[in-house]
Amino acid sequence: MSHRFSSYAHSLYSVVKQLKVRGLITASLSQAEFSQLIKPIGERPLILTAHPGDDVMAMGGTMATYAAAGLLMTTLTFTEGLHGTNSGRLSQALGPRRQKEALAAYKEIGGEIKPLFWDFDENFVVDQELVFTLLEVIDDLNPDVIYVPSLFDDHPDNQAMSEALVQVLHRLPSPRLKDLWIGQYELWTPLVPNKILNIDDYTDVKRKAIECHESQLLCRDYLEAVLGLNRYRAAILGAGSNAEAYFMCRAPQYLAFQSQPSARVMTMVDKKKQLD
């Protein structure tokens, strides 16, 4: 285990050196102990996603584990995902369809899930109205763990969502921050994890939940991509056959990642421009 942690610490240092983000070392070292989770952290999870289906693709096994424990989950989806087409062009008809697919996926996950669907446009801008609306949700639910895409995820909607969460956390009192966990999950961009959860008992459940998102599986083979990542995580980190990985830390450490907002992750658009 010490050798494995050492290799992850080295990988994390490489990310720090490349991005030059102040505070990242402090945030990482304070909560960076690598471990395999016996069960997910927290009992009142709030799961933030930018588009319908992102949650079950990134952490469907974790959600099924919460469900099996009889814990209420709240999912908050920021956009309708109207651009989730082969061409990337907007389709108004896609919104109701993707919401229906999401509800079907939650039924496969089982347990008690409270879904909240917002209708922000994709490529949304974080403004005061969004921040205070999210603050109201978090105040009302009082979650003990909030799941959100990695701060290094290169999708612009995921980056905006992380920015909104950071602004909300800055408005919460210190005692609440101290007890609040933030779980960064991987979706468009793999992360350097410090926690991993074996999902062997729930892989079939996750597969069925993802299969509910038929409109998205017509665009890309998300199913095999996600399950392939889960197999990779399990094999490399010694956590059964399938696993979901996270970077988990307390809210104050999460905020330390944002001590230099000017250093942002290169987006997919930036990468395309470089290739062109």
Side-chain angles (χ1 to χ4, degrees):
M1 180 64 73
S2 60
H3 174 72
R4 184 179 301 156
F5 175 71
S6 177
S7 67
Y8 269 81
H10 178 73
S11 299
L12 194 56
Y13 172 76
S14 298
V15 174
V16 174
K17 186 176 181 182
Q18 179 183 357
L19 296 178
K20 299 179 181 179
V21 181
R22 291 178 185 172
L24 186 55
I25 295 178
T26 302
S28 302
L29 293 181
S30 62
Q31 293 287 342
E33 181 182 356
F34 178 80
S35 62
Q36 180 175 335
L37 298 172
I38 299 176
K39 63 178 183 178
I41 289 175
E43 297 183 348
R44 301 185 306 279
L46 170 61
I47 303 168
L48 305 181
T49 59
H51 319 98
D54 288 358
D55 43 12
V56 296
M57 292 184 189
M59 48 180 297
T62 302
M63 294 174 69
T65 308
Y66 278 122
L71 298 174
L72 169 66
M73 290 169 278
T74 303
T75 62
L76 172 55
T77 306
F78 277 57
T79 78
E80 296 178 280
L82 301 182
H83 290 274
T85 59
N86 277 320
S87 64
R89 294 179 180 175
L90 184 145
S91 169
Q92 292 290 348
L94 196 56
R97 179 178 179 181
R98 292 194 68 176
Q99 183 171 323
K100 184 178 179 181
E101 290 172 346
L103 293 174
Y106 295 153
K107 188 174 181 180
E108 292 291 345
I109 293 293
E112 188 177 359
I113 300 177
K114 177 183 178 182
L116 303 175
F117 295 101
W118 287 353
D119 57 358
F120 286 102
D121 295 329
E122 289 166 81
N123 294 309
F124 60 90
V125 175
V126 177
D127 56 20
Q128 290 299 306
E129 180 183 359
L130 188 157
V131 170
F132 282 103
T133 304
L134 180 58
L135 176 60
E136 185 178 349
V137 169
I138 291 175
D139 258 340
D140 182 53
L141 296 174
N142 190 28
D144 55 4
V145 57
I146 299 176
Y147 288 95
V148 67
S150 165
L151 285 168
F152 301 139
D153 192 293
D154 64 4
H155 195 293
D157 291 341
N158 287 339
Q159 291 183 12
M161 193 165 55
S162 295
E163 179 186 342
L165 177 60
V166 166
Q167 292 197 36
V168 167
L169 295 179
H170 277 302
R171 289 168 168 81
L172 292 180
S174 296
R176 285 188 64 182
L177 287 180
K178 193 168 60 174
D179 295 328
L180 176 61
W181 284 93
I182 305 296
Q184 298 180 57
Y185 59 77
E186 50 191 359
L187 191 61
W188 285 96
T189 306
L191 50 71
V192 178
N194 67 347
K195 304 295 179 188
I196 188 167
L197 179 69
N198 182 319
I199 62 166
D200 285 346
D201 292 340
Y202 304 104
T203 302
D204 287 341
V205 173
K206 179 172 183 174
R207 176 186 293 275
K208 291 176 181 177
I210 294 175
E211 287 174 344
C212 291
H213 291 276
E214 295 178 355
S215 65
Q216 300 312 292
L217 297 181
L218 292 173
C219 301
R220 297 181 183 177
D221 192 357
Y222 291 110
L223 180 62
E224 287 308 311
V226 167
L227 295 183
L229 177 61
N230 295 158
R231 291 192 293 269
Y232 169 80
R233 288 303 189 191
I236 296 298
L237 301 177
S241 300
N242 302 272
E244 291 171 344
Y246 300 93
F247 191 92
M248 306 286 305
C249 62
R250 299 285 187 175
Q253 284 72 46
Y254 179 78
L255 289 176
F257 279 83
Q258 288 288 326
S259 61
Q260 190 181 26
S262 60
R264 69 178 180 86
V265 178
M266 183 181 293
T267 67
M268 290 181 283
V269 174
D270 295 329
K271 293 174 184 175
K272 185 178 185 301
K273 287 181 179 178
Q274 277 199 356
L275 291 174
D276 292 344

